[in-house]
Structure formats: structure tokens, C-alpha cells
Amino acid sequence: AQKVTQAQTEISVVEKEDVTLDCVYETRDTTYYLFWYKQPPSGELVFLIRRNSFDEQNEISGRYSWNFQKSTSSFNFTITASQVVDSAVYFCALSNSNSGYALNFGKGTSLLVTP
Amino acid sequence: GAGVSQSPSNKVTEKGKDVELRCDPISGHTALYWYRQSLGQGLEFLIYFQGNSAPDKSGLPSDRFSAERTGGSVSTLTIQRTQQEDSAVYLCASSLVGKRGGLGTDTQYFGPGTRLTVL
């Protein structure tokens, strides 16, 4: 069975603060894929990043960075110098080929960035 | 290019009526997925298609739910005899391939969703 846990339900920060969203996953598969999606108030899920289980290299994209650690089954997401436009619900998800790559989502973390 | 489109964007229906939700995937995407997002249950996987075939229907909540895909493109999710607990946002996503066709090919892109309200 697969499971994704996002322990932080809501986070509130002031603009320009750094914030880390936690994601812990469980799977018995050796090959799997991890994702982060953003859901702004408009409602549409926006793809942010995909990671393969065999690639633990961390990634940075502008103010966004991701830390993938297989040893702790975590795939954390950090926003540096947060902005009001970062306010959204962020979902971590897990997939593998056994279920046709269907996404198993965490409950999401609601991030509020205030001016 | 065009993204995933869904129609209608909003649907209000009375309990017991049937509804059809439509998804038009990104052109060329062979895999199509349906999810449901509700307050109590979060984001739940319902069903996926590889081409016109649905190998796994175990995510459908009840036998009132069915889905089909024709011509490897448009998909329809049908809910018969709707109940109030069916109220949710129904999301559709598509990806280039559902099988391991290469790095990044299984990334799913989502449509705007259909908000279903059952009165």
C-alpha cells in the first residue's frame, strides 16, 4: 500500500520568509515517482515537479527547491523569500506503474503568505 | 497548446438524477485519469484509461459510477441516481503515456474540474 503524509495542515508566514512544506511517503515499491502540485484559489492543479525514486539529486527552480531523501522517505518543498502569490494549497503525491501511474495524494498543506 | 478541458464547469442537480461529466485531454495524451476532490476525503483517484481501456476500476466509489473513453480522446464520467455525498469537484488529468515510456512522460496535467452539487 502507498501512503503520503503531509503533517502540516495550514502554514501562515509573512512575505519574504522562507517556508518548508513537509512530505513523507510510504511504499513497498523500489521504483516510484514523487510529485508536487500547487492549487491556487482558482482551483486548478498546477504541476511543479516530478522526481524518480532512483534520482535523489535535489532540485532548485528559482525560489523553489526540493529535498528528496530516500533514507527518511521524505520529499520536502522549500519556498525561499515567499510572496503573496505563493498562497495556495500544495499537494505531494506518489505514483508507480502498478496502478497505471495514478496519483496517490497527501491531504495538502494550505500556505498563506501575508504582506 | 490547449490544456485539459472539462465541461460543464459547474453542475447542480437534484438527488436521484443522472449526470455526465466530460473531459477532453491534451491532444496526443494516451492516458487519462479521473479524480474527485471533496472536503472530507481530499483528492481521490477514481479511474484511469490507457487508450480506450480502463484496467483498474477499483477506485470508483460505487456501481452508480461509470466511465468510458472513445477514440482514445474524450472521456465521460457518468453518475447515476446521484446522492448528496457525490457533491465534489471532479478533476480530469492526462499524460503522454501511462506506461513507462520515458522520463517525465507520466506527468499528469489537470483540467479545471467540474463542481458537482447534488441538492
Side-chain angles (χ1 to χ4, degrees), chain B residues 47-68:
Chain B
I47 189 171
Y48 84 95
F49 290 90
Q50 179 60 36
N52 292 332
S53 172
D56 182 5
K57 300 180 182 180
S58 62
L60 295 175
S62 77
D63 58 8
R64 296 185 295 104
F65 287 71
S66 63
E68 65 174 13

Side-chain angles (χ1 to χ4, degrees), chain A residues 5-58:
Chain A
T5 301
Q6 295 180 257
Q8 303 148 308
T9 306
E10 294 180 356
I11 300 176
S12 182
V13 299
V14 177
E15 207 170 19
K16 297 184 184 177
E17 285 184 14
D18 299 347
V19 58
T20 295
L21 309 182
D22 297 333
C23 174
V24 174
Y25 62 92
E26 296 175 28
T27 180
R28 294 178 182 173
D29 299 299
T30 54
T31 301
Y32 51 89
Y33 307 88
L34 294 163
F35 299 81
W36 277 95
Y37 284 84
K38 174 182 181 180
Q39 189 173 43
S42 61
E44 193 156 343
L45 277 165
V46 178
F47 165 74
L48 295 178
I49 190 171
R50 172 187 182 276
R51 240 356 182 197
N52 307 313
S53 56
F54 45 86
D55 181 4
E56 283 193 76
Q57 190 172 15
N58 292 326

Side-chain angles (χ1 to χ4, degrees), chain B residues 27-31 50 94-99 104-109:
Chain B
S27 178
H29 278 195
T30 55
Q50 179 60 36
S94 69
S95 68
L96 192 57
V97 290
K99 297 177 182 177
T105 55
D106 59 303
T107 297
Q108 294 178 32
Y109 297 92

Side-chain angles (χ1 to χ4, degrees), chain A residues 1-114:
Chain A
Q2 298 186 107
K3 184 179 179 182
V4 176
T5 301
Q6 295 180 257
Q8 303 148 308
T9 306
E10 294 180 356
I11 300 176
S12 182
V13 299
V14 177
E15 207 170 19
K16 297 184 184 177
E17 285 184 14
D18 299 347
V19 58
T20 295
L21 309 182
D22 297 333
C23 174
V24 174
Y25 62 92
E26 296 175 28
T27 180
R28 294 178 182 173
D29 299 299
T30 54
T31 301
Y32 51 89
Y33 307 88
L34 294 163
F35 299 81
W36 277 95
Y37 284 84
K38 174 182 181 180
Q39 189 173 43
S42 61
E44 193 156 343
L45 277 165
V46 178
F47 165 74
L48 295 178
I49 190 171
R50 172 187 182 276
R51 240 356 182 197
N52 307 313
S53 56
F54 45 86
D55 181 4
E56 283 193 76
Q57 190 172 15
N58 292 326
E59 182 153 340
I60 298 174
S61 176
R63 296 183 297 106
Y64 294 172
S65 62
W66 291 269
N67 185 339
F68 175 28
Q69 292 195 348
K70 288 179 74 171
S71 61
T72 56
S73 297
S74 65
F75 186 42
N76 296 338
F77 173 30
T78 297
I79 302 174
T80 303
S82 59
Q83 299 177 2
V84 172
V85 293
D86 295 328
S87 297
V89 180
Y90 291 85
F91 291 94
C92 182
L94 174 68
S95 78
N96 65 24
S97 62
N98 295 337
S99 58
Y101 299 98
L103 293 167
N104 190 336
F105 285 93
K107 295 293 187 185
T109 296
S110 177
L111 174 65
L112 177 64
V113 182
T114 56

Side-chain angles (χ1 to χ4, degrees), chain B residues 58-96:
Chain B
S58 62
L60 295 175
S62 77
D63 58 8
R64 296 185 295 104
F65 287 71
S66 63
E68 65 174 13
R69 188 181 186 195
T70 55
S73 181
V74 172
S75 174
T76 302
L77 177 69
T78 301
I79 310 174
Q80 295 178 309
R81 305 181 302 281
T82 51
Q83 303 293 313
Q84 288 183 333
E85 63 261 29
D86 300 333
S87 296
V89 177
Y90 289 81
L91 294 164
C92 177
S94 69
S95 68
L96 192 57

